[in-house]
Amino acid sequence: MSIATLHSLRSVQLQVPTLTESTDFYSEVWGLSVVEQDHDDTWLRGTGENHHVLQLTRAARNGLGAISFAVRTPAEVDEAARRLALRGIPMLTEPGALDQAGGGYGIRFADPEGRVIELVADVHAVKPLDRDRPVPIGVTHVVLNTVDIDRAVAFYTDVLGMRVSDWSEHQMAFLRCNTDHHSIAFNQAAWTSVNHVAYEMPSMDHFMRGIGSLKQQGVTPLWGPGRHGPGNNTFSYFADPAGLVCEYTSDVAQVVEDQWLCKVWRRVPELSDLWGTAGPPSKDVRSHMAGIEDVGVFADRPDLAAAYASTPARDLVEVAR
């Protein structure tokens, strides 16, 4: 049994050495709005009800701060903590009120590659904004580079209860927590890092208008526009001032649980881009998506790294303290 029923991907925290420039990009160019800000952090919202969908944190190098998933109630957070303890998975933060922008009640723990996962309920809501503008509603998925895709998929399915929607051969796995085709995807890579963060546009018209707005500001796509096979979503990828990849997307496939069939897609250009408008990703795109190695919380907590070091994927639910 998984530790919780995830409602949705709520927000992503990115660590960047370019806090001022990145804040300006995401607020003045990308279309998010600053809701809170201090010397070392900026919290930005989309047009949806989430208090924030992106947190930018000042750091010496690029990295992933945390991935936050929404659950429905504080009682579910407490139950998740109980089940983590039964599995022997250490918590970074015990269940309780979160002392952070947006508030909420949650817990934090690490996955087997040092990524910080947050489960949270009762985060402050904000009034939805006008969706006529070509700007994002919020974060819809995060793609993560992994050194062991089988191990990563095992943890996120066994522990977090996510379901595999599709594979792209044995190179990528697409995982869902609700009806969206994927909220998390894993890409087999040479090191652990963020591949890209995707932001949902309300429609294909908003998607194309958003690309047009960026172009008018001198920002051109690294790759796209196009439409992927797995997920059926539109895509257009850009680089932010830190060199991290951000994506405009729309029209992601919706999964009906008792009707969906998981497929293994071939990794050929006509399936990675159904429209044929974007072509295959260039070396520059691949370099940006590869990012730099990020050991996450393991840099400060080698004891956690040791806890996961020798545990095979099939035994992840029995991770020792």
Side-chain angles (χ1 to χ4, degrees):
M1 184 181 294
S2 63
I3 64 168
T5 299
L6 306 183
H7 177 271
S8 59
L9 174 65
R10 192 186 66 83
S11 65
V12 177
Q13 179 188 14
L14 297 176
Q15 298 171 333
V16 295
T18 56
L19 180 61
T20 300
E21 295 87 347
S22 293
T23 295
D24 290 346
F25 172 82
Y26 282 105
S27 61
E28 298 178 9
V29 179
W30 195 246
L32 303 181
S33 302
V34 174
V35 284
E36 295 194 41
Q37 191 170 19
D38 62 26
H39 181 265
D40 291 321
D41 293 274
T42 303
W43 293 266
L44 302 105
R45 63 166 296 183
T47 59
E49 294 180 350
N50 283 328
H51 173 272
H52 64 275
V53 299
L54 176 64
Q55 178 183 350
L56 298 172
T57 298
R58 190 187 308 276
R61 63 204 301 266
N62 288 345
L64 176 67
I67 301 172
S68 180
F69 292 99
V71 297
R72 294 184 184 277
T73 66
E76 292 184 50
V77 173
D78 291 337
E79 179 62 14
R82 187 186 71 83
R83 294 183 184 183
L84 281 171
L86 289 174
R87 293 171 183 264
I89 299 175
M91 281 173 280
L92 300 170
T93 303
E94 297 289 333
L98 299 176
D99 183 17
Q100 59 186 27
Y105 185 94
I107 55 172
R108 285 188 166 198
F109 56 97
D111 78 1
E113 291 179 87
R115 303 179 190 91
V116 176
I117 301 168
E118 178 182 84
L119 304 185
V120 63
D122 287 0
V123 176
H124 297 164
V126 289
K127 182 181 178 180
L129 301 177
D130 178 11
R131 292 193 180 180
D132 286 339
R133 297 182 301 129
V135 298
I137 299 170
V139 172
T140 182
H141 67 255
V142 183
V143 176
L144 303 166
N145 294 320
T146 176
V147 297
D148 189 339
I149 195 167
D150 293 319
R151 184 180 177 89
V153 169
F155 186 89
Y156 279 71
T157 54
D158 292 343
V159 177
L160 288 172
M162 302 188 79
R163 286 85 68 197
V164 177
S165 297
D166 283 315
W167 287 84
S168 177
E169 296 188 4
H170 196 237
Q171 179 65 38
M172 291 190 71
F174 300 86
L175 281 65
R176 67 185 184 275
C177 65
N178 49 32
T179 60
D180 287 350
H181 179 269
H182 56 286
S183 299
I184 296 290
F186 288 102
N187 175 61
Q188 181 67 44
W191 52 72
T192 301
S193 60
V194 177
N195 185 289
H196 69 268
V197 179
Y199 298 80
E200 180 187 7
M201 303 297 270
S203 69
M204 191 189 304
D205 180 69
H206 290 80
F207 167 78
M208 293 302 296
R209 287 165 55 206
I211 296 171
S213 175
L214 293 178
K215 184 176 180 180
Q216 291 169 15
Q217 298 178 77
V219 181
T220 57
L222 290 173
W223 185 34
R227 184 183 287 278
H228 287 313
N232 195 50
N233 53 296
T234 62
F235 68 87
S236 195
Y237 298 93
F238 300 82
D240 72 11
L244 294 166
V245 178
C246 46
E247 176 192 6
Y248 276 167
T249 189
S250 66
D251 295 357
V252 65
Q254 296 299 295
V255 171
V256 179
E257 289 291 343
D258 62 351
Q259 298 179 21
W260 187 265
L261 293 176
C262 178
K263 296 179 285 292
V264 179
W265 293 76
R266 292 184 60 214
R267 292 184 64 79
V268 292
E270 59 267 27
L271 294 182
S272 65
D273 175 21
L274 298 177
W275 288 343
T277 53
S282 66
K283 288 184 178 179
D284 184 47
V285 172
R286 294 187 184 279
S287 176
H288 275 85
M289 289 183 171
I292 58 175
E293 185 173 9
D294 178 17
V295 300
V297 73
F298 289 169
D300 299 318
R301 292 288 305 274
D303 58 312
L304 295 182
Y308 285 116
S310 60
T311 308
R314 66 178 181 276
D315 294 333
L316 278 172
V317 294
E318 300 297 338
V319 172
R321 288 189 186 275

